[in-house]
Amino acid sequence: MDKKELSTFPVYGARLIYGINWFAIAPGFILIESQLRLSELQIGFVATSFFVGLMPFQFIGGILASRISPKYIAISGLFIIGMFSILTGISETFFELFASRMSVGIGSALFSSPALAFLSENSDGNTISRRTGMYNALFGIGSGIGITGWIYLDSVTGWRNSMFISGILALAVIPFMSMISEKLHKEYNYGGFSINYKNIICNKYRWMLGFSAGIGALSETVIGQMFVYYSEKTHIMSPLDSGITVSMYFIMGLFGGYIYGKYFGLSKHKTYIYVFTAIITSLLFISIPFAGNVYILTAIVWIIGALTVAVLTMLYYMVMSIDHDNRNRSFSLGFNNFMQKIIAVVSPALFVYIALNINYSYSWYILGISGLILVFLYPGIYESHNRNDMTVTGF
């Protein structure tokens, strides 16, 4: 293995820790609700607060990475994640919890897109596809390991210690990211202003592409943030069983990320593969309330986990394929993630709001149907003239 490939290992390791941090608070919602005397709707807003910070800083992180360095912006993100995860653990009120989780979201935005852009430097299409699949899969593995661990730790020592440990892990991985030599990568004119942000933002096909993967954002957010809470409120599973189910949801993403990452870039039928996978994911999401027993429900959630990572892997591959100039990729990925987080930012609170006003079954129906409708925004379905704007082969 050459030095260039070895240099990706710290990024993958940081992505794993990033995944462990992402849902660290989710298993503790039921305890937080009781200890801090929060309402169900406030819990929904705490889950949403993460995305309130995440969404705008997808833009800001992309701009900073394109003008400074993807490596250093990603490291800054890890530092913010670590510090504010620890502060989450000492929060005593709804507003403190909201602010600290929002800040963790900011750090997550500063890490995610710049780190992936860093991985894509000096890479051909097939390498990008493979690395993107692995990058997304490691997020799932980290999330899955984390959720199971946090459920056990929350039950033994309380939710605050989970937040402390997750923050320390994020800080501990920073030295390994710092060791990466940028000399192994293409040098950029980071201080330049050659990126036309307006053209990227105003390209309607980029908007269509980003929103077409809405089911990926809905699945990752609602199942990751709210499934344990949902299962406890409806008594469909014990906390441990639901935690294991969600953990396996994320771990199953390894298969979706690996398989689609390896073969999607080589396929000549990208439109069919993408649309079919996104539709199936949406239909399975809608079917969750119809599961006749725990075993069927568990199987559905696990399959959704694999397909969610597959959808997001294909999306990131196509976004990076649009931009042949590596300097554009941090901002393009950040802009794409901004669109995803527009969906994610409202989904936890909306999920709880629908449940309180109707029931939890309708929460799954309404959000799943919304994801299904969004699939048909995918620009590759329509006339071939969009290829001139997007320059992604295989639509």
Side-chain angles (χ1 to χ4, degrees):
M1 183 176 294
D2 61 25
K3 289 184 178 180
K4 186 176 174 182
E5 284 301 309
L6 285 172
S7 72
T8 64
F9 280 34
V11 183
Y12 288 141
R15 179 66 167 179
L16 183 73
I17 300 300
Y18 170 87
I20 289 174
N21 267 271
W22 188 286
F23 297 106
I25 198 172
F29 277 148
I30 201 74
L31 298 174
I32 294 169
E33 181 182 37
S34 173
Q35 291 178 14
L36 301 187
R37 299 181 181 179
L38 303 183
S39 68
E40 291 184 54
L41 194 56
Q42 284 178 315
I43 289 294
F45 279 119
V46 169
T48 294
S49 67
F50 178 87
F51 298 97
V52 172
L54 190 72
M55 187 171 67
F57 275 82
Q58 299 289 355
F59 266 126
I60 296 169
I63 293 171
L64 292 174
S66 65
R67 293 188 175 181
I68 302 172
S69 159
K71 170 185 169 181
Y72 292 115
I73 298 304
I75 289 172
S76 298
L78 286 171
F79 178 78
I80 294 171
I81 291 170
M83 292 302 297
F84 282 95
S85 291
I86 293 170
L87 289 176
T88 299
I90 62 174
S91 297
E92 296 290 348
T93 68
F94 166 74
F95 295 105
E96 290 176 358
L97 204 59
F98 188 97
S100 60
R101 289 303 296 170
M102 183 176 68
S103 299
V104 173
I106 291 171
S108 298
L110 294 178
F111 173 81
S112 182
S113 298
L116 181 55
F118 188 52
L119 276 180
S120 73
E121 293 176 3
N122 286 351
S123 301
D124 58 27
N126 292 336
T127 302
I128 289 174
S129 181
R130 175 173 53 79
R131 288 184 177 179
T132 302
M134 183 58 66
Y135 187 76
N136 285 330
L138 284 167
F139 170 77
I141 294 171
S143 300
I145 293 170
I147 288 174
T148 302
W150 303 139
I151 286 177
Y152 174 77
L153 195 62
D154 288 352
S155 66
V156 175
T157 67
W159 64 275
R160 296 185 187 276
N161 283 336
S162 297
M163 301 311 305
F164 296 150
I165 293 172
S166 64
I168 291 168
L169 286 173
L171 296 175
V173 79
I174 289 175
F176 297 98
M177 282 286 290
S178 301
M179 290 168 59
I180 302 173
S181 173
E182 289 196 293
K183 292 180 181 179
L184 298 176
H185 299 267
K186 182 179 178 180
E187 293 183 2
Y188 299 100
N189 178 23
Y190 285 122
F193 292 84
S194 61
I195 300 173
N196 193 325
Y197 300 114
K198 182 178 179 180
N199 283 351
I200 292 173
I201 294 171
C202 292
N203 188 319
K204 67 179 181 180
Y205 296 111
R206 289 179 184 264
W207 285 90
M208 293 170 68
L209 176 61
F211 281 125
S212 71
I215 188 59
L218 286 168
S219 167
E220 190 175 79
T221 305
V222 174
I223 294 178
Q225 295 274 11
M226 303 307 299
F227 187 82
V228 174
Y229 184 78
Y230 156 75
S231 68
E232 293 182 356
K233 286 292 182 179
T234 57
H235 307 291
I236 59 171
M237 288 184 181
S238 69
L240 180 60
D241 288 342
S242 61
I244 292 172
T245 298
V246 176
S247 296
M248 288 304 300
Y249 161 88
F250 285 110
I251 292 171
M252 288 295 291
L254 173 65
F255 298 99
Y258 176 79
I259 294 170
Y260 279 75
K262 185 174 182 179
Y263 297 108
F264 184 70
L266 302 172
S267 174
K268 296 180 180 179
H269 305 287
K270 293 181 175 64
T271 291
Y272 300 111
I273 295 171
Y274 178 83
V275 172
F276 177 77
T277 304
I279 288 174
I280 294 299
T281 307
S282 301
L283 293 175
L284 287 171
F285 189 94
I286 294 167
S287 75
I288 284 176
F290 292 105
N293 58 58
V294 170
Y295 301 106
I296 294 174
L297 175 60
T298 300
I300 290 172
V301 172
W302 290 5
I303 295 170
I304 293 174
L307 295 181
T308 295
V309 173
V311 169
L312 295 176
T313 294
M314 291 186 285
L315 173 66
Y316 293 148
Y317 168 81
M318 289 184 286
V319 169
M320 287 190 289
S321 296
I322 295 170
D323 297 300
H324 299 293
D325 187 340
N326 287 336
R327 289 175 297 180
N328 291 356
R329 284 179 179 163
S330 289
F331 182 75
S332 292
L333 287 166
F335 176 58
N336 173 77
N337 284 341
F338 169 79
M339 287 182 274
Q340 292 284 293
K341 273 44 182 185
I342 290 175
I343 297 168
V345 72
V346 299
S347 57
L350 183 59
F351 181 85
V352 174
Y353 178 81
I354 295 169
L356 291 176
N357 287 274
I358 310 176
N359 61 49
Y360 279 105
S361 294
Y362 276 87
S363 296
W364 295 108
Y365 302 154
I366 292 172
L367 295 180
I369 291 170
S370 298
L372 179 62
I373 293 170
L374 289 171
V375 173
F376 294 95
L377 288 176
Y378 179 64
I381 296 174
Y382 308 106
E383 291 100 355
S384 60
H385 72 264
N386 64 47
R387 297 179 189 179
N388 296 326
D389 291 316
M390 298 197 66
T391 64
V392 179
T393 59
F395 268 4

